[in-house]
Amino acid sequence: MPSTASVQLRNDRRRALSNQPHPLRRLDPLAVVLSCHRNQEICSEGRPADHWYCVVSGVARRCATKCDGRRQILGLLLPGDFFGFTAHEEYDFAVEAIVEGMTIASYPRRRVEALADVEPELAREIREVAFETVSQLQAQLLILGRITATEKVASFLLAMAARSSADQSDKVLLPVSRYDIADCLTVSVETVSRSLTDLKHRGLISLLGTRTVRIVDREGLAEARLNCH
Amino acid sequence: MPSTASVQLRNDRRRALSNQPHPLRRLDPLAVVLSCHRNQEICSEGRPADHWYCVVSGVARRCATKCDGRRQILGLLLPGDFFGFTAHEEYDFAVEAIVEGMTIASYPRRRVEALADVEPELAREIREVAFETVSQLQAQLLILGRITATEKVASFLLAMAARSSADQSDKVLLPVSRYDIADCLTVSVETVSRSLTDLKHRGLISLLGTRTVRIVDREGLAEARLNCH
DNA sequence: CGTATCATTGAGCTTAGTCAAAAAGTGTGG
DNA sequence: CCACACTTTTTGACTAAGCTCAATGATACG
């Protein structure tokens, strides 16, 4: 039997969910909203994939740990992004919270699928969300396919700018460390740092704080993505 | 009014479709089977995404052409693979036939979606197929994330071995040129060639023809994927 | 049988990784 | 509020992996 405090907490979280616009409002009644600690593993590679998730607030990373101990981040998950989809019975990859106190909505997969069987509209929305994941993965593939490290970093900045801020501000808040960016782009931390100072010296960006980038020359930055030496 | 010959052709193709096991048998009645020439563009970036496709025989590539003229292949499409899914109204990327005379099944998207609305089983299967695409893209991200070129090539060979041959033979038939492999792995053609001879000298593979690889030491090749210097 | 495409190999140069260290934040407890 | 430890970020010097340019072999195809 839940205490008054925990019920209050749950209500707060439910409210947080309804404030945040997200693609599957239809599923709100089934959602359980969870708060996560920094570096907490939300779902683990190889574990039964019995839940789907949606980021409500904060940022998470989908990561693969290679046998040599290195980590690759397959993609960052921002508010509104779904994860936990898999073609198999187990999760393909782990997802870890990056921001302390980030919140996620958790949906029991079987119940959602049962609901989708009787609500074609929901089934369509789930397809949309899955297709959105496909698009994001393809975009990430394009970034990794760039030639120079500076191109990758420039792409990363523009992608973050496009995804994170609904407003057309030229300020981009990087919610992750240089290490996370490095693992995202599969380059070394030092190279990320050097690329950022490179872009700064070329007058394309300026660093307000270490994690706040101001895009000075958006055009130039977009060109820098594509092989500008 | 179709000629006898074209009806015969259509029947042949329909039969080809039913011989080939593929995930959405349920859609066979809606399918139109097409034969494609080498390098023919099956769907074009930016065009209205009004069809979904499935590779029946042969191989295709999903490609993005960068502004500097370079091409990146986001993934190879083998028999049973679906493409044409997008979160938007237009195709994100072009898909081109690689093998002369390859055949694809084409499904009108609107009709399929309408059918899915009344057949929950079909809707589930489409989700499965979409999730499968997600898995493949993630696998491709992992390959691109490898450090050395030889690791990438080794990963590519093992991935092709796993995907193409249902039989557990150690012969892998590469259905694509070195150029295609290079664009898949975002390395230069020369590097692909050098990596293959490297793997050969290390006794992990042998080249029967230029496009037929025999995996000599599967264990060793799997290790070569992960940081073996 | 000639031509075009594909594949391999070599030499020089550029990029980014590694190792090392300093600088700048961040948080904790006295 | 400051001192201290810890993490994060930046910068430098060196090295190695892979790209480019160039040339030669091999294959496929009309």
Side-chain angles (χ1 to χ4, degrees):
Chain A
M1 178 178 174
S3 70
T4 316
S6 79
V7 165
Q8 180 57 44
L9 182 57
R10 173 171 292 185
N11 284 343
D12 284 352
R13 286 173 178 168
R14 185 66 46 90
R15 212 166 9 252
L17 188 57
S18 55
N19 287 339
Q20 177 74 30
H22 75 291
L24 295 184
R25 307 298 307 246
R26 204 178 296 268
L27 284 183
D28 281 2
L30 271 68
V32 172
V33 180
L34 303 170
S35 176
C36 303
H37 292 296
R38 202 163 108 90
N39 294 329
Q40 182 182 333
E41 205 169 63
I42 298 167
C43 64
S44 319
E45 180 186 342
R47 284 308 190 51
D50 45 15
H51 284 81
W52 288 342
Y53 301 91
C54 176
V55 176
V56 176
S57 70
V59 184
R61 62 188 165 228
R62 187 194 320 265
C63 17
T65 312
K66 305 185 206 163
C67 298
D68 61 348
R70 283 164 192 273
R71 179 186 66 175
Q72 182 180 354
I73 297 179
L74 299 179
L76 293 180
L77 298 160
L78 303 186
D81 288 337
F82 280 75
F83 60 97
F85 298 144
T86 166
H88 320 108
E89 288 309 305
E90 292 94 32
Y91 294 118
D92 294 319
F93 300 104
V95 173
E96 299 170 359
I98 292 184
V99 174
E100 174 64 34
M102 72 170 293
T103 50
I104 55 170
S106 162
Y107 311 93
R109 176 178 172 179
R110 297 282 162 237
R111 287 181 61 195
V112 173
E113 296 206 297
L115 196 58
D117 283 346
V118 294
E119 286 191 26
E121 267 302 314
L122 174 61
R124 271 183 193 250
E125 285 169 2
I126 293 171
R127 281 200 296 276
E128 286 297 311
V129 164
F131 293 167
E132 188 57 47
T133 301
V134 168
S135 287
Q136 277 184 23
L137 287 168
Q138 287 173 339
Q140 179 68 14
L141 271 175
L142 277 188
I143 294 180
L144 278 198
R146 305 236 174 257
I147 309 167
T148 70
T150 306
E151 283 167 23
K152 292 186 186 178
V153 171
S155 300
F156 178 84
L157 290 179
L158 287 168
M160 287 303 294
R163 284 175 67 190
S164 58
S165 69
D167 52 0
Q168 287 305 327
S169 161
D170 48 1
K171 258 184 291 182
V172 187
L173 238 151
L174 301 179
V176 297
S177 73
R178 301 284 190 269
Y179 285 91
D180 286 321
I181 299 176
D183 289 344
C184 256
L185 305 177
T186 60
V187 296
S188 67
V189 208
E190 296 92 332
T191 301
V192 172
S193 187
R194 276 188 256 266
S195 293
L196 283 171
T197 55
D198 180 25
L199 291 172
K200 189 173 65 180
H201 289 154
R202 280 154 65 180
L204 303 179
I205 62 171
S206 64
L207 295 173
L208 305 183
T210 52
R211 299 221 182 158
T212 312
V213 175
R214 182 188 161 87
I215 297 181
V216 176
D217 180 358
R218 203 180 205 92
E219 293 272 314
L221 198 58
E223 276 176 31
R225 263 188 323 186
L226 323 153
N227 218 19
C228 246
H229 299 295
Chain B
M1 175 177 175
S3 71
T4 318
S6 79
V7 165
Q8 180 59 43
L9 182 57
R10 173 171 292 187
N11 284 343
D12 284 352
R13 286 174 178 168
R14 184 66 47 90
R15 207 163 15 249
L17 189 57
S18 56
N19 287 338
Q20 178 73 31
H22 75 290
L24 295 184
R25 308 296 308 246
R26 206 177 296 268
L27 284 183
D28 281 1
L30 271 69
V32 173
V33 180
L34 303 170
S35 177
C36 304
H37 292 296
R38 200 164 108 88
N39 295 328
Q40 182 183 332
E41 204 169 65
I42 300 168
C43 64
S44 318
E45 180 186 342
R47 284 309 191 50
D50 46 14
H51 285 82
W52 289 341
Y53 302 92
C54 176
V55 177
V56 175
S57 71
V59 185
R61 60 186 168 230
R62 187 194 320 264
C63 24
T65 312
K66 305 184 206 165
C67 300
D68 61 348
R70 284 165 190 271
R71 180 186 65 174
Q72 183 180 354
I73 297 180
L74 299 179
L76 294 180
L77 299 160
L78 304 186
D81 289 337
F82 279 75
F83 60 96
F85 298 143
T86 166
H88 321 108
E89 289 309 305
E90 292 95 32
Y91 294 117
D92 294 319
F93 301 103
V95 172
E96 299 170 359
I98 292 184
V99 174
E100 175 63 35
M102 71 170 294
T103 50
I104 54 169
S106 162
Y107 311 93
R109 177 177 173 179
R110 297 281 162 236
R111 287 182 61 197
V112 173
E113 295 205 299
L115 197 57
D117 283 347
V118 295
E119 287 191 26
E121 266 301 312
L122 174 61
R124 271 183 192 250
E125 285 168 3
I126 293 172
R127 282 200 295 274
E128 286 297 310
V129 164
F131 293 168
E132 188 58 46
T133 301
V134 168
S135 286
Q136 277 183 24
L137 287 169
Q138 287 174 339
Q140 181 66 16
L141 271 175
L142 277 188
I143 294 179
L144 278 197
R146 306 236 174 256
I147 310 169
T148 70
T150 306
E151 284 167 21
K152 291 186 185 178
V153 171
S155 300
F156 178 84
L157 291 179
L158 287 169
M160 287 303 293
R163 283 175 67 189
S164 58
S165 67
D167 53 0
Q168 287 305 325
S169 162
D170 47 2
K171 260 184 290 182
V172 187
L173 239 152
L174 301 179
V176 296
S177 72
R178 300 286 190 266
Y179 286 89
D180 286 321
I181 299 177
D183 289 344
C184 256
L185 306 177
T186 58
V187 296
S188 68
V189 208
E190 296 93 331
T191 300
V192 172
S193 188
R194 277 187 254 267
S195 293
L196 283 171
T197 55
D198 180 26
L199 291 173
K200 190 172 66 180
H201 288 153
R202 279 154 65 179
L204 303 178
I205 63 171
S206 63
L207 295 172
L208 304 182
T210 52
R211 299 222 183 158
T212 312
V213 176
R214 180 189 163 87
I215 297 182
V216 176
D217 181 358
R218 203 178 204 95
E219 294 271 313
L221 198 58
E223 276 176 32
R225 266 187 322 186
L226 325 151
N227 215 19
C228 246
H229 299 295

